[in-house]
Amino acid sequence: MRSKRKSGGVYLTYAADLSGDGLGAQALRIMGIFSAACELDFGYVHSPIQSIEINPGDPHATKQERITYLRRVNRFFRLPSEDEEKSNITRSFRSLTNRKIFWLRVINKVARGLSLKVLIKLPSSLPWSDENPNSYRWASDIIAPRANSHGKSAATRLDIHIRRAVAPKVGRDGRAYDRYVPTEWYQEVLNIIVPFLHEKGLKCELRIHTDIPEGRWKVPEDTSPGTFAMWEFHNFIDAEGYLIDMSEDLGREFTQYGPVEIAQGWDPLDAIESMVEADVLILCASTFSYVAGLLRGDNLTISPYFFHRTPSSWSLASSDILQGERELLLSQLKSQFG
């Protein structure tokens, strides 16, 4: 961790009072803003998440359960804050671009000289963090040790994140949905990993984290207008306000690779901790498992190409896994498992 700053200068903070979304998106924003502050030598003031939007399959049904869940999340993702003194000037930015960083550095130098605290409220650290994904290590190195054990077995555990409840293959507009990752892609990745592990004499088991609800799922009344409108546009919601069933039998699809546990209805923070501790993590096109991947350090994390750039230590696999991608994955498997 960096040393304590002198008084004054630019301080970054999450615009939590103006932001809402699911756990993954908001955790990533906080991690990105803190890491940008560290990397760019700005100050940081921690603003905890104020509310978490419930996603399909989430178990928190009552107000008290959601309050308890929010508190747990904020404890887990809390980062060191420099907020002993009030800011002299507060400004809100819509994004963090290289051009804005240039001017923030100028302001930072002047403000330090005058011992003025300039607070910059940000909804996220994008696009800067996508250009510098390795910078997330500033935050992940602090948060990762907080992950609790969720059952370590003798077998090699592969955690897999598969979104299906609100991630159809094709959206209503006829275009490929950017969060959909085909079952065949996961199978192709496993066709590389599982034979390698078997050659090493290692048994493997799969834990599939999915948003597929265990029963009919009523869309909560406090779902944000933006999310509700998007779900309605893509015909995810029926006339009674329930989510339309778009599930598949994941247990049957993956049984050939070893014992399969379908992790449905899990507390999302428990799911993240499980993914952090897995021997191998295979992501979905989702900030939820992306955050888990960031907390894994150098342990093997495999991702499809999607709307976030990934750290250099990860293994990327395109829809048709290329020979170079296959060789890199095998090299990383050898490095981790010998």
Side-chain angles (χ1 to χ4, degrees), residues 98-122:
N98 286 323
R99 180 176 176 80
K100 287 174 181 172
I101 288 169
F102 172 82
W103 288 111
L104 285 175
R105 281 175 160 155
V106 173
I107 295 168
N108 187 49
K109 186 175 181 180
V110 174
R112 280 186 176 180
L114 298 173
S115 295
L116 293 174
K117 183 175 179 180
V118 181
L119 185 67
I120 304 298
K121 296 176 68 174
L122 290 162

Side-chain angles (χ1 to χ4, degrees), residues 275-289:
M275 288 189 252
V276 170
E277 294 183 321
D279 296 289
V280 177
L281 173 61
I282 305 174
L283 272 62
C284 183
S286 165
T287 52
F288 182 71
S289 47

Side-chain angles (χ1 to χ4, degrees), residues 14-78:
Y14 176 42
D17 56 331
L18 303 174
S19 305
D21 214 323
L23 170 58
Q26 295 199 78
L28 185 64
R29 294 169 195 165
I30 287 173
M31 291 176 66
I33 292 167
F34 174 83
S35 298
C38 293
E39 192 81 11
L40 300 168
D41 195 29
F42 297 146
Y44 174 78
V45 174
H46 189 75
S47 295
I49 297 170
Q50 294 194 1
S51 65
I52 302 173
E53 197 163 277
I54 297 297
N55 284 312
D58 289 356
H60 310 111
T62 69
K63 181 179 179 180
Q64 186 55 52
E65 286 175 341
R66 293 175 71 166
I67 290 172
T68 301
Y69 167 53
L70 178 62
R71 287 173 179 165
R72 289 180 58 234
V73 165
N74 278 324
R75 283 196 300 269
F76 187 82
F77 286 101
R78 181 164 182 83

Side-chain angles (χ1 to χ4, degrees), residues 223-274:
T223 298
S224 70
T227 296
F228 192 85
M230 185 265 288
W231 288 356
E232 271 199 322
F233 175 79
H234 288 292
N235 292 326
F236 295 164
I237 305 172
D238 66 20
E240 297 178 332
Y242 286 87
L243 199 70
I244 291 173
D245 185 6
M246 292 184 287
S247 61
E248 63 182 287
D249 188 345
L250 296 175
R252 183 178 60 81
E253 295 285 0
F254 292 94
T255 189
Q256 68 267 34
Y257 300 106
V260 179
E261 175 189 1
I262 306 298
Q264 284 177 283
W266 274 40
D267 178 285
L269 187 55
D270 289 342
I272 283 180
E273 290 182 306
S274 171

Side-chain angles (χ1 to χ4, degrees), residues 1 45 69 73 81 83 99 147 151 167 205 214 216 221 296 298 314 316 322 333:
M1 183 60 187
V45 174
Y69 167 53
V73 165
S81 182
D83 52 6
R99 180 176 176 80
E205 59 186 24
E214 294 179 298
R216 285 192 80 200
E221 292 181 359
R296 289 173 51 76
D298 294 326
W314 292 15
L316 280 164
L322 304 176
L333 284 164

